[in-house]
Amino acid sequence: MERNLDLADKLYQRSIHPAARQVALGRRLSSPLVVDLDPTTVCDLACPECISSQVLHHGQIGQDRILKLAHELAESDVRAVILIGGGEPLLHRAIGQIVEVLHEAGIKLGLVTNGTQINRHLDRLAECLSWVRVSVDAGSADTYQMFRPSRGKRSVFPQVIENMRMLAERKRGRLGYSFLLMQRFDEDGKVTESNYDEVHQAGLLAREIGCDYFEVKAMLDEDHYTVNQRTEDIAAVEEQIARLRELESDSFHVLHSSNWQAVRRGTDPVQPKDYHHCAITELRTTVTPTGVFVCPYHRGNPKGRIGDIQQSGFAELWAAADTSVIDPSEDCQFVCARHRSNQEIALIGRRPDPEGPGALGPDGLIDDFDPFI
């Protein structure tokens, strides 16, 4: 399971490496390999700390257009699509048809969801998704309502947990319980509200539900920088994670996100980069109702906008896109999950082609295991 978090290692998969090499040599691809697709910007929760708050409630990709887009992606060289947001992807009325079109085309599908609508699409999610990750961020209804309040007065935590339980019983792919560590402070810097003490409780619940993994993530500020934590708070979280690791098995894993690993190591929130073009923007892109952007970090950023899927077909848009609009050395000084991938692609470009003339020894490639690079 941890292997799926090693994004740089994924570049050496036999079906991925040729594209990574083309990008390393400065060539464009006929399409990205992975698309983050935001069907809608509408959400049924009202989370105060939502990192996507600036892009919420700006409409959706129309039903006819998004179904046509699904067919365009199916006809392209796209290998994987992540249904995400922005808003809550399962709120789009055409989501079931989108899943069917992409699945039937052999495109691998992932879903990031708040879990409130899983029951409405249970059959398709269970049959067609490679993975579903539910953002829960709590181990109890009260804490859930504190950080992930519904637009009504009652916590929807019981509904989300029951939906996850139903999916766990029928799923073919992986199911993950995502726990974003959150704190609130008063004017004097004192913690007033926190979910830090529910890591162990939430992990036990994830295991009992039947989740394949429980992932701990660090909170980011609105500019995507990791927020440094007090030493005692990090220790409290690590102690709970250690207890959960004692329960790991072949069917249940406890994962650290890259940003929590950065926080627990005391890594500087500023991550300098000495390259001026992000190679990953050729391999992966983000399609939203308000535009197509170079990556999820720059979703909604006018500088990172490379087109409008409402105005052109996907192939036409991609052919005309300038993926070099973002300069990582200036625009991406936060801790980026794909920094190592960019460094690895630079190395790939300096090595002999493992499958071509001049290749030395074993090709060094690995069998395909995960297209979500």
Side-chain angles (χ1 to χ4, degrees):
M1 182 70 68
E2 286 79 1
R3 190 183 191 191
N4 295 87
L5 297 180
D6 191 338
L7 300 176
D9 191 42
K10 291 181 184 181
L11 297 172
Y12 290 92
Q13 296 174 91
R14 296 189 187 283
S15 70
I16 301 295
H17 189 268
R21 182 167 178 79
Q22 290 299 306
V23 172
L25 297 175
R27 300 166 187 162
R28 293 218 62 203
L29 303 179
S30 61
S31 71
L33 301 186
V34 181
V35 171
D36 288 274
L37 175 58
D38 299 1
T40 181
T41 64
V42 175
C43 187
D44 54 344
L45 298 183
C47 309
E49 283 81 14
C50 179
I51 199 169
S52 299
S53 58
Q54 75 278 7
V55 299
L56 286 180
H57 306 296
H58 292 291
Q60 64 176 13
I61 303 175
Q63 187 164 339
D64 291 342
R65 178 65 192 104
I66 201 166
L67 287 174
K68 185 176 180 182
L69 172 61
H71 285 284
E72 291 168 0
L73 295 177
E75 294 166 1
S76 75
D77 291 327
V78 169
R79 311 278 182 85
V81 170
I82 301 171
L83 301 168
I84 192 170
E88 167 50 49
L90 295 183
L91 286 175
H92 197 289
R93 293 181 63 183
I95 194 67
Q97 294 168 279
I98 297 165
V99 167
E100 286 187 353
V101 169
L102 297 175
H103 177 67
E104 288 174 4
I107 292 176
K108 301 299 183 183
L109 293 168
L111 169 68
V112 179
T113 175
N114 64 27
T116 63
Q117 307 297 311
I118 286 175
N119 57 306
R120 295 175 55 193
H121 307 281
L122 187 59
D123 291 342
R124 290 187 177 103
L125 298 185
E127 294 292 322
C128 302
L129 273 289
S130 293
W131 54 265
V132 175
R133 187 174 76 231
V134 184
S135 302
V136 186
D137 311 333
S140 70
D142 289 344
T143 299
Y144 186 92
Q145 182 65 4
M146 182 190 307
F147 289 104
R148 301 189 67 79
S150 65
R151 298 192 179 278
K153 293 183 178 181
R154 185 173 299 178
S155 172
V156 296
F157 181 76
Q159 174 188 337
V160 171
I161 297 304
E162 180 57 26
N163 284 348
M164 294 174 71
R165 198 183 304 278
M166 289 190 295
L167 181 58
E169 292 175 352
R170 297 179 50 185
K171 64 182 174 59
R172 291 189 174 184
R174 299 187 304 273
L175 174 62
Y177 191 121
S178 179
F179 192 102
L180 177 65
L181 292 159
M182 290 184 285
Q183 291 179 327
R184 293 173 184 161
F185 304 88
D186 62 18
E187 295 179 356
D188 298 322
K190 181 181 179 182
V191 176
T192 57
E193 294 171 318
S194 171
N195 65 354
Y196 279 42
D197 61 346
E198 290 196 358
V199 172
H200 186 257
Q201 180 179 347
L204 291 178
L205 180 57
R207 182 172 178 266
E208 187 267 326
I209 288 170
C211 293
D212 297 280
Y213 67 90
F214 175 75
E215 183 176 17
V216 177
K217 305 170 74 174
M219 190 169 78
L220 307 177
D221 66 19
E222 60 184 11
D223 295 315
H224 302 288
Y225 287 89
T226 52
V227 179
N228 281 337
Q229 309 291 304
R230 299 182 305 181
T231 301
E232 59 267 33
D233 291 337
I234 294 174
V237 170
E238 286 296 300
E239 185 275 332
Q240 293 175 79
I241 291 175
R243 282 191 282 150
L244 289 174
R245 286 198 179 281
E246 295 176 359
L247 304 175
E248 284 189 302
S249 65
D250 291 341
S251 59
F252 179 69
H253 299 263
V254 179
L255 307 178
H256 284 156
S257 69
S258 58
N259 56 33
W260 175 248
Q261 291 186 48
V263 168
R264 63 193 282 264
R265 293 169 182 162
T267 305
D268 192 324
V270 176
Q271 184 186 65
K273 301 177 177 68
D274 59 2
Y275 48 91
H276 301 281
H277 174 61
C278 175
I280 299 301
T281 60
E282 269 297 307
L283 297 169
R284 180 170 177 162
T285 201
T286 301
V287 178
T288 84
T290 59
V292 179
F293 298 89
V294 291
C295 78
Y297 288 111
H298 291 285
R299 179 190 278 116
N301 176 8
K303 185 176 181 180
R305 193 173 188 268
I306 58 174
D308 185 351
I309 204 63
Q310 314 272 22
Q311 302 297 322
S312 62
F314 185 75
E316 174 190 359
L317 183 152
W318 186 253
D322 179 5
T323 60
S324 66
V325 293
I326 290 296
D327 182 343
S329 69
E330 296 181 359
D331 303 315
C332 309
Q333 295 192 21
F334 43 77
V335 175
C336 174
R338 288 170 178 81
H339 177 50
R340 276 194 61 236
S341 297
N342 272 304
Q343 294 175 317
E344 203 64 40
I345 287 174
L347 295 176
I348 288 172
R350 296 196 289 267
R351 295 178 184 137
D353 184 350
E355 296 181 335
L360 303 175
D363 64 14
L365 302 183
I366 55 181
D367 292 337
D368 290 356
F369 66 94
D370 188 344
F372 297 93
I373 56 174

